[in-house]
Amino acid sequence: MLRFNAADIDNKYYYDGNDLGANIVGEDKDRTVFKTWSPLATGVYLNLYLDGEGDNRIETLPMEMLDKGVWYVELFRSCDGLFYTFSYEFEYMNNRLETIDIYAKACGINGNRGAVVDFDTTDPKGWDDVPKPKCANACQAIVYECHIRDITIDESSGICPEHRGKFLGLTHSRTRCGKSETCLDHLKELGITHVHLLPVADYATVDEAHPEKAQYNWGYDPKNYNCLEGSYSTDPADPKCRIREFKELVMTLHKNGIGVIMDVVYNHTYHTEDSSFEKAFPGYYHRKRRDGTFSNGSGCGNETASDHLMFRKYMIDSLKFWAEEYKVDGFRFDLMALHDIETVNIIRDELDKIDPGLLMYGEGWTGGESPMPADKLAYKWNSYRFGRVGLFNDNIRDSVKGGTFNPYDLGFISGNRNTSSILKRGIAGSVPHYQLYDASEACWAFEPTQAVNYAEAHDNHTLWDKLKISCSNHYTSADLIKMDRLAAAIIILSQGMPFIQLGQDFLRSKPDKTNSGSAPNEVHTYNGNSYNAPDFTNAIKWNKKNKYRCVFNYYKALIKLRKSSGLFRMANKGDVEQHLQFIDTGDANFIVWKLESEKECFVISLNPYPEERYFNLPWGIFYKRLDEFGFTDDEECSGYVRCAPLSATVFKRI
C-alpha cells in the first residue's frame, strides 16, 4: 500500500487549476485536453472507447506528468461523443487500475466510463433566456422535497407512460387526477418556492441498462458526483440525453418561478476499495483510522476526507459546476457534519461569488463516529461557527410529532405535554429570545435563516404514518387529520425556512405489502426506511389529493399566509426579538404568540387539546380569522376568543 502523510501531499502537490477532467478547447473546439491528479502514480494512461460499455476500445495513450502531480495528454481533435477512462500504475502494484475519471462530467450507461461532451450542444431551446427565480435569503424559501421517480411514476399522475419516473415527467403541464392538478401544476398550485430533488447525480444501485427490472433507490449511494443519473433519462446510453432532459426540467421549473435544490452526497462513496477515488490515488480521498482501516462516520462503509485539500477542491469544483452549468438554485448536504467547518465555510464563500441567493443547508449529524475531532466538524451544536449555512431542525421536528426513532412516541400535536418549551424555541427560529429561558439546547441557530423547520422528510415514517402508529388506538381519523394540520401550521408559520415532503400536504403514507400471501394488496405496516422499497410504497398516489382536499387547501392557505407578510419571514434575530411576543395563556401547552409591526399584526394560537380553549386578544382591537381558504371577512373577532380542539387559529388585525 502507498505510505504518505496527507498534509505533506497537500503542501507539496496541491493543484489550484480548474481544468481537471476532459475539456474540449480552442476557438474552433478542435482540441481535447485530458488531465488527472495522482501525485504518487508511476504511470497514468488514457483509454478511449466508442461506447459506454462493451469491448470497443479505440486506443490507450500514455500521459505526461506535469507539476503538482497532474498528468496530461492532449489530442488535436474534438473528442465530443467519445468515452474514456484512466488507468493508474503504482510502484507496489503489478497491475493497472482502470477507472472512470472522478472529474467526469458525463458518463455512459451505469457510469463506468466518462464521456467527452461539448456542453454547448446540450442546451435546450431558450436555455439562456429563462431567468432564475430570486431568493433574498432562506426565510423567503418554502421548500418541497421530491424524488424524481415518486412524483410521476404512478398512472394517476397523468404523465405519459414514456416520461413517468423521468426528468421529463416534471416538464409536463395540465396533468390531472380527477379534479386535482398533479406534478408540475400541483407545485404551482401549492405555492412552494423551491423543489428539493433527492439525489440526481449518478448513483450505483439501479441498473440503467435494464429499466424493466423492479428497481428503486433514493440515490444516497453515490458513484459519479458530476454526472447525472441515467435511469431518470429516456436514453441512459446517450450521455447528452440525460444532460439535456435535466436542463429541460430546471428550465421548466424556472419558467414557473420555482427554484431547484440538489441533494448532494459528498460525505461517502458507495464503493470503498473499488471506488474511482481509491483507484486514482489509494488512501487519499477517504479518512482512515489509526490502524489504517477506513473510518465509517457515514454508516455506509467509509467517509470522505473534506479536510484533505484536493478533496475539498473536488467538492468546490463539483458544486460550482452544477451551479453554473445547470443553473441550480441551492444544495442540501447529506450528513453535512462529516465535512469540516472550514470546508463548509469556504463552500459558502465560493457559492456567494456565483450567487448569494443560492441556498445551502444540510444535516447537522453523522451516521457514525468519525476520527476527526468533533469540534472541527459541521455538527449542529457547532452551528455558530458556520452561521450562513442552514441546518435541519430536529428539535422542532421531534417536539411536534414525537421522537423520530420511536414510532410510538408522542409529540405536542398528539398529547405530549412536555414539549412546549422546545417548540417555542422553534417558533422563534431557534435563536435567543427574551421570553424564553429554558430548553437551551433548542436555542442553537445563529440567525433564523439557519433553521430548516420540518415535520417529515424522506427519512423515517411520514407524519401521517407516525400519527396512525402512535395515536390511532385513542383518536379518530378526523382527529389525526386535525393533528396533521396543526403540525403544518407550526412548521409553515414558525420563523426559519419551512420544509415539506412531497405528498405531506395530502397525508402521504408509505405502506408495506403484507407477507401473508393471502391478500396481496392488504396493508399491515408502514415503511420507515423506504430507500429501496418498490413503487407500491414510494409512488405518489394522486387520488389521495382528491380524498384529502381539505388538508391540501389548508397547507395552501398557510403558504399563502406566510408569503403575504414579512413578519413570518424575519431573517435576523434582532427582528424576531422585536416583533415576536408570546402571550401568557396560563397554560404552557396552549401556545399563543403575536407578530406585530407598525403596519400589521397577527396572533397565532396552538391548541393541542381535544377540547376547545379560549384566550384574550389584545383589548379593543378587531381581527379576522383564517380558515382553509384564507381570511374570512364575515366575522370580526375581539376580546375573548375560542380556539377549536386540535387546531391552530390565526387572527389578523383589521
Side-chain angles (χ1 to χ4, degrees), residues 409-429:
D409 194 35
L410 303 177
F412 177 84
I413 63 173
S414 49
N416 188 331
R417 304 300 179 225
N418 299 305
T419 68
S420 59
S421 295
I422 296 175
L423 184 59
K424 284 182 178 179
R425 289 285 190 188
I427 290 168

Side-chain angles (χ1 to χ4, degrees), residues 344-407:
V344 169
N345 281 321
I346 292 173
I347 288 171
R348 181 69 265 182
D349 289 340
E350 292 298 316
L351 294 180
D352 283 348
K353 293 175 185 177
I354 299 171
D355 179 2
L358 287 169
L359 296 176
M360 180 177 172
Y361 59 95
E363 294 177 302
W365 47 79
T366 67
E369 185 177 353
S370 173
M372 192 164 187
D375 63 345
K376 294 185 181 297
L377 294 173
Y379 280 109
K380 193 183 76 171
W381 59 72
N382 294 327
S383 59
Y384 277 55
R385 296 171 58 194
F386 52 101
R388 298 170 297 157
V389 178
L391 289 158
F392 282 95
N393 191 348
D394 53 337
N395 299 106
I396 198 170
R397 177 196 70 191
D398 291 349
S399 66
V400 166
K401 67 177 183 179
T404 293
F405 302 104
N406 178 359

Side-chain angles (χ1 to χ4, degrees), residues 47 49 51-54 83-86 98-102 104 106-115 202-204 206-209 223-224 227 236 242 271 274 276 279:
N47 308 297
Y49 293 88
D51 207 343
E53 61 178 354
F83 297 81
Y84 74 102
T85 62
F86 293 132
E98 183 178 1
T99 183
I100 188 172
D101 174 18
I102 64 172
C107 63
I109 199 161
N110 284 325
N112 294 320
R113 294 174 185 166
D202 184 47
Y203 55 87
V206 169
D207 184 355
E208 299 168 1
K223 185 169 183 178
N224 294 300
C227 304
R242 63 182 81 181
H271 299 289
D274 291 333
S276 54
K279 291 178 179 179

Side-chain angles (χ1 to χ4, degrees), residues 375-495:
D375 63 345
K376 294 185 181 297
L377 294 173
Y379 280 109
K380 193 183 76 171
W381 59 72
N382 294 327
S383 59
Y384 277 55
R385 296 171 58 194
F386 52 101
R388 298 170 297 157
V389 178
L391 289 158
F392 282 95
N393 191 348
D394 53 337
N395 299 106
I396 198 170
R397 177 196 70 191
D398 291 349
S399 66
V400 166
K401 67 177 183 179
T404 293
F405 302 104
N406 178 359
Y408 299 98
D409 194 35
L410 303 177
F412 177 84
I413 63 173
S414 49
N416 188 331
R417 304 300 179 225
N418 299 305
T419 68
S420 59
S421 295
I422 296 175
L423 184 59
K424 284 182 178 179
R425 289 285 190 188
I427 290 168
S430 297
V431 297
H433 189 277
Y434 72 98
Q435 289 181 297
L436 304 178
Y437 303 102
D438 48 7
S440 59
E441 76 281 1
C443 178
W444 53 265
F446 183 71
E447 295 286 4
T449 50
Q450 205 173 14
V452 179
N453 298 324
Y454 71 118
E456 73 169 67
H458 63 276
D459 278 323
N460 311 114
H461 289 100
T462 68
L463 174 61
W464 182 240
D465 287 348
K466 182 170 174 63
L467 289 173
K468 287 189 290 185
I469 293 168
S470 60
C471 300
S472 58
N473 291 337
H474 309 288
Y475 293 93
T476 66
S477 292
D479 289 333
L480 301 188
I481 290 175
K482 292 176 183 177
M483 293 176 188
D484 184 279
R485 287 166 44 132
L486 177 57
I490 296 169
I491 297 304
I492 295 172
L493 301 183
S494 291
Q495 302 300 316

